[in-house]
Amino acid sequence: MDIVKRRFWYFTISAVLLVICISSLLVPPRLTLGIDFAGGSTLTVVFDSEIKSDSVRERLNKLGYNDATVQQSGSDTVFIRMSKLEEGNESSGTKSDRILIEEDLSNLAKISSVDVATVSGVVANDTVNNAIIAVVVASVGILLYVTYSFRGVSNPFRYGVAAIVALVHDSLIVLGLFSLLGKFMGLEINAMFIPGILVVIGYSVNDTIVVFDRVRENATIDPDKPLSMIVNQSITQTIGRSLNTSVTLLLTILALIFLGGESIRNFLYVLLIGLIVGTYSSIFIACQFLVMWEQGELRFPLSKKSR
């Protein structure tokens, strides 16, 4: 099976997908931000009897909270997102927004409990900035580590660059798909999205290194063999392991999506997309990038004319 021979098709598929994802990220709203990033308040309201989210949404609209998002978390529980709730003023006898909402919703059914959380957008911005710094530092560390680890083969720096290319490829596609899902399905980005992206980066690099390590072994055994043949041999030797690992993780993630709680669902969606894209990139992008670089296929047309 000659996988390397079809490398231009793999890059074409990725290029089309990247164009779609990047275009979505350039068109506002780039990402549909949840309360963790945009700031605001959430209420988890538990009733004593069964309740419908449509009834709760109708009551909130009458109160003037037209921007509120209501999700059914159970037959007797609803999860509400809205702009930041205002506190009351005891001296003037003004009730807080929470009390007003609670009193109004109690007309639908008796309320057992109300859990309120408020997030500041400033805290969210700090979290995003720290995550970006962490990704940049990790990328530099990965580049240096892979280059050093593969010093026994020719052009070890290329292995590090190829790993970073796969990493960026996976991250952009995950971000772009979440952007599209946010535009068409209202899927929001919350705080769990950041650790999800970091896990995807780790998985992408790990899966890529597994294939690269076999390339190194085969190159050491037969150094005179063309790199394209070595890469193709290495992929066929490791593809079964990569797919088996991915399928096992895929089944676990799907089980958690259907059986797990609402709070970790966005995290699981990131893992699901990242798992599929990461498996693809380690086999069809990172390794093919090595071959194309080795054979001079990455040169720009202008550089060819100048030679």
Side-chain angles (χ1 to χ4, degrees):
M1 182 170 61
D2 195 348
I3 297 175
V4 175
K5 182 180 179 181
R6 299 174 177 84
R7 57 188 176 275
F8 290 104
W9 285 107
Y10 312 143
F11 273 82
T12 300
I13 293 171
S14 289
V16 171
L17 191 55
L18 284 171
V19 167
I20 295 173
C21 291
I22 293 173
S23 298
S24 180
L25 288 170
L26 293 175
V27 176
R30 295 175 176 84
L31 292 167
T32 303
L33 300 180
I35 183 175
D36 297 329
F37 293 114
S41 300
T42 62
L43 296 88
T44 303
V45 186
V46 181
F47 294 86
D48 280 347
S49 58
E50 185 176 345
I51 195 73
K52 297 296 183 182
S53 61
D54 291 339
S55 301
V56 175
R57 188 179 294 107
E58 184 179 347
R59 301 294 299 191
L60 291 172
N61 288 339
K62 289 182 178 179
L63 288 173
Y65 299 105
N66 298 319
D67 64 335
T69 302
V70 183
Q71 295 178 339
Q72 191 92 37
S73 298
S75 61
D76 60 349
T77 306
V78 291
F79 182 74
I80 306 170
R81 285 190 191 88
M82 58 177 56
S83 54
K84 187 176 179 180
L85 297 175
E86 299 296 332
E87 297 293 333
N89 191 327
E90 294 182 2
S91 61
S92 62
T94 305
K95 294 181 179 180
S96 66
D97 289 348
R98 171 187 172 173
I99 295 176
L100 291 174
I101 292 173
E102 190 172 345
E103 289 178 349
D104 192 78
L105 293 182
S106 63
N107 294 321
L108 297 173
K110 186 178 180 180
I111 296 176
S112 297
S113 64
V114 179
D115 183 23
V116 180
T118 300
V119 178
S120 169
V122 176
V123 175
N125 289 335
D126 290 341
T127 303
V128 173
N129 292 334
N130 291 336
I132 293 173
I133 294 172
V135 170
V136 173
V137 172
S139 299
V140 174
I142 291 168
L143 176 62
L144 296 176
Y145 176 76
V146 173
T147 301
Y148 176 78
S149 298
F150 285 79
R151 63 191 182 280
V153 297
S154 60
N155 302 313
F157 179 73
R158 295 180 180 180
Y159 289 81
V161 174
I164 299 302
V165 167
L167 181 155
V168 173
H169 169 275
D170 298 347
S171 300
L172 284 176
I173 289 180
V174 171
L175 285 168
L177 290 180
F178 260 79
S179 176
L180 290 169
L181 291 172
K183 287 181 173 65
F184 296 105
M185 298 178 60
L187 186 62
E188 296 181 343
I189 302 295
N190 59 20
M192 295 301 293
F193 183 80
I194 293 178
I197 283 288
L198 296 177
V199 171
V200 168
I201 289 172
Y203 179 82
S204 173
V205 174
N206 176 74
D207 209 28
T208 301
I209 294 301
V210 169
V211 185
F212 280 1
D213 195 52
R214 186 56 61 91
V215 172
R216 177 176 57 180
E217 291 177 3
N218 291 330
T220 303
I221 295 172
D222 192 356
D224 296 328
K225 198 173 187 179
L227 181 62
S228 60
M229 296 180 65
I230 293 174
V231 168
N232 193 74
Q233 178 185 359
S234 303
I235 292 175
T236 55
Q237 290 173 347
T238 58
I239 192 170
R241 174 183 172 182
S242 296
L243 292 178
N244 288 336
T245 302
S246 299
V247 169
T248 303
L249 288 172
L250 180 64
L251 293 175
T252 304
I253 293 171
L254 289 175
L256 288 172
I257 287 176
F258 290 112
L259 302 176
E262 183 71 27
S263 60
I264 63 169
R265 193 147 295 167
N266 274 27
F267 175 73
L268 296 172
Y269 289 151
V270 178
L271 294 187
L272 178 63
I273 298 172
L275 172 64
I276 297 171
V277 177
T279 303
Y280 174 84
S281 67
S282 63
I283 298 172
F284 300 111
I285 298 299
C287 293
Q288 315 305 326
F289 184 85
L290 281 178
V291 175
M292 294 180 73
W293 197 342
E294 174 71 19
Q295 297 186 357
E297 296 168 354
L298 296 178
R299 292 194 183 99
F300 293 102
L302 289 177
S303 64
K304 289 184 177 180
K305 292 179 182 179
S306 62
R307 293 184 59 187

